[in-house]
Amino acid sequence: MTLHHDKHHVGYVNNLNAALKSQSDSPSARSESQEAELKAVISFNAGGHINHSLFWESLSPPGSPQTKESACPKLMAALTEKWGDLAAFKEEFKKVLLGIRGSGWGWLASSQESGDLHVMSSKDQEIVPKGFKPLLGIDMWEHAYYLQYLNNKAGYVEKIWEIVNWETVEGRFSRNLVEVYGHLNDLKAML
């Protein structure tokens, strides 16, 4: 996880900062295609920073009180209502995570309109789609698991539950979208 955080996530931040600086330097000197490419670079790296920030906040050391399902009673009740029990939810989430082709993210999200829970995926560094509030994001890029699990994505998915910070996920479940994104709201608004 240290390499993941200190190299990959930091890379998104550094690339985003460089692209934002480039965007502010001589905008009239860029062609339409250069401007479109710069916006794509900003979007990709901003999404990478947002997704990873939410991811890190969703993790705790194994065995810590935050990793116990008892840390999220309201969410557990909602998961049970939707999927029948926690095991069925995890199985559904596992299908979504292992169904990601290439790189992407798996999400537990709630509809902003109805509050209904959904499991979904996003490609590359795309954030949770509009209309949904991210509760838990799982990084399914190869860099998230390869050093420890090699090509055993299923092993990574099984073990990730041992470090999910259910207390944080419960907090997101209870808060509004602006509170969930916190300091990332301005960046999210750019996407």
Side-chain angles (χ1 to χ4, degrees):
M1 289 291 186
T2 301
L3 178 66
H4 187 177
H5 180 274
D6 293 353
K7 297 294 182 188
H8 292 283
H9 186 181
V10 168
Y12 295 118
V13 172
N14 291 341
N15 291 337
L16 174 62
N17 287 335
L20 290 172
K21 182 180 181 325
S22 179
Q23 186 181 47
S24 66
D25 294 343
S26 307
S28 61
R30 285 189 297 276
S31 69
E32 282 185 37
S33 65
Q34 289 170 322
E35 187 65 28
E37 176 59 27
L38 184 57
K39 286 181 180 180
V41 168
I42 290 169
S43 180
F44 179 82
N45 287 287
H49 175 52
I50 290 168
N51 291 346
H52 280 89
S53 295
L54 294 171
F55 178 65
W56 300 126
E57 292 169 0
S58 299
L59 304 178
S60 282
S64 63
Q66 299 88 344
T67 62
K68 308 293 184 217
E69 287 96 10
S70 59
C72 62
K74 292 177 186 171
L75 178 62
M76 282 299 151
L79 290 172
T80 300
E81 183 179 326
K82 171 90 180 196
W83 283 282
D85 61 22
L86 182 61
F89 157 71
K90 287 181 178 180
E91 189 59 33
E92 179 68 21
F93 207 163
K94 178 181 176 179
K95 287 178 190 172
V96 169
L97 293 172
L98 296 179
I100 295 171
R101 293 185 180 148
S103 300
W105 291 80
W107 298 98
L108 169 63
S110 62
S111 166
Q112 288 181 266
E113 187 175 305
S114 67
D116 290 343
L117 295 175
H118 299 268
V119 290
M120 59 182 65
S121 63
S122 61
K123 186 174 173 26
D124 296 326
Q125 293 298 354
E126 293 172 2
I127 63 172
V128 169
K130 288 183 181 184
F132 291 92
K133 175 176 66 172
L135 304 178
L136 173 63
I138 304 296
D139 189 348
M140 291 304 291
W141 280 66
E142 198 171 67
H143 68 243
Y145 61 84
Y146 193 78
L147 288 178
Q148 189 170 358
Y149 295 94
L150 301 176
N151 64 346
N152 183 9
K153 285 171 69 169
Y156 167 70
V157 170
E158 289 295 323
K159 297 296 271 183
I160 197 75
W161 298 111
E162 295 178 11
I163 59 173
V164 168
N165 183 328
W166 289 109
E167 187 175 283
T168 293
V169 179
E170 173 90 349
R172 290 178 183 156
F173 181 63
S174 302
R175 294 191 309 250
N176 67 43
L177 187 67
V178 171
E179 293 170 324
V180 167
Y181 280 105
H183 70 281
L184 300 168
N185 275 298
D186 291 341
L187 190 55
K188 179 184 167 289
M190 294 173 53
L191 302 178

